[in-house]
Amino acid sequence: MTNSVTGAAIDGWLRAFARLVAEHEDELTRLDAAIGDADHGANMNRGLTAAAVALDELAAGDPPPAAGPRLTKVGMTLISTVGGAAGPLFGTFFLRMGNALAEQETPTALAAALRAGLAGVVQRGKAEAGDKTMYDALAPAVAAVETALAAGGSLADALAAASKAAEDGCAATVPLVARKGRASYLGERSVGHQDPGATTVSLFFRAALDSGVAG
Ligand SMILES: [Mg+2]
């Protein structure tokens, strides 16, 4: 699966994401406790645990589904099981990604699907660069995938670049004043804390490297 985005590859990526969020649940909760309502870690872990069960059901199908339907299923599961802002936002990301990817398996199609997922997040959350939200990790990561592929890079190159861009974007949220979501109620007091949603985005791209989707 070195340069192909198969259903099995996406399945591995999504499960690696669920594992990483479970491992980092306490950290995500601490980050949300500082500038939100301390439920992000538990919410995302609950949603992704349910998503893994949904993936099990899909994987048992014959023939096993392509990547797109698996992403769509995870998106619907997150929307229906996670409350607050994170469920609808991450759910919309995966739902739009899955609908855009459909049965396609190329890295270019994956890049377009990531772009569609980002557009869904923007449409729902109305966040812009520098608002101290998941957008600040997601937008640079999506751009990094596109840039790496346009330069002739492999899927592995693109996902490594995305992971780095997401981590940098996440770290860059620390000095920002939150302008969207619950953290924005804190105004200047949100400065000095890393955004939990951006942190979860960085775990998603790190999961790609852990899962073998990148070859
Ligand atoms: Mg919260």
Side-chain angles (χ1 to χ4, degrees):
M1 65 180 73
T2 49
N3 222 19
S4 179
V5 187
T6 63
I10 285 290
D11 183 273
W13 183 357
L14 291 166
R15 287 176 197 275
F17 177 44
R19 278 195 302 275
L20 273 181
V21 167
E23 284 168 25
H24 291 262
E25 180 184 339
D26 291 349
E27 179 195 337
L28 294 172
T29 293
R30 261 199 318 279
L31 292 171
D32 196 29
I35 59 171
D37 55 358
D39 62 358
H40 185 68
N43 280 347
M44 288 305 297
N45 190 24
R46 189 177 64 252
L48 288 167
T49 300
V53 173
L55 285 171
D56 287 340
E57 290 164 8
L58 276 187
D62 184 20
R70 299 193 204 224
L71 287 159
T72 302
K73 183 75 173 176
V74 166
M76 292 190 303
T77 304
L78 289 178
I79 289 169
S80 63
T81 58
V82 183
L89 287 167
F90 279 91
T92 298
F93 172 68
F94 289 117
L95 193 58
R96 295 289 185 89
M97 217 186 140
N99 290 346
L101 192 57
E103 308 284 317
Q104 301 173 88
E105 295 192 346
T106 65
T108 309
L110 177 68
L114 287 164
R115 177 60 63 186
L118 174 63
V121 169
V122 169
Q123 188 183 27
R124 200 173 247 279
K126 311 279 185 250
E128 296 171 12
D131 281 349
K132 195 180 183 100
T133 71
M134 65 184 285
Y135 179 96
D136 291 319
L138 187 54
V142 172
V145 169
E146 293 166 343
T147 302
L149 293 178
S154 65
L155 180 59
D157 297 332
L159 291 172
S163 183
K164 174 77 167 63
E167 279 181 22
D168 290 350
C170 180
T173 64
V174 174
L176 296 174
V177 176
R179 292 193 299 240
K180 281 285 184 306
R182 191 177 287 267
S184 66
Y185 307 157
L186 295 177
E188 293 287 337
R189 282 184 291 140
S190 63
V191 170
H193 301 285
Q194 184 169 294
D195 181 66
T199 307
T200 299
V201 169
S202 75
L203 294 177
F204 174 63
F205 286 98
R206 192 192 305 172
L209 306 184
D210 290 354
S211 71
V213 67

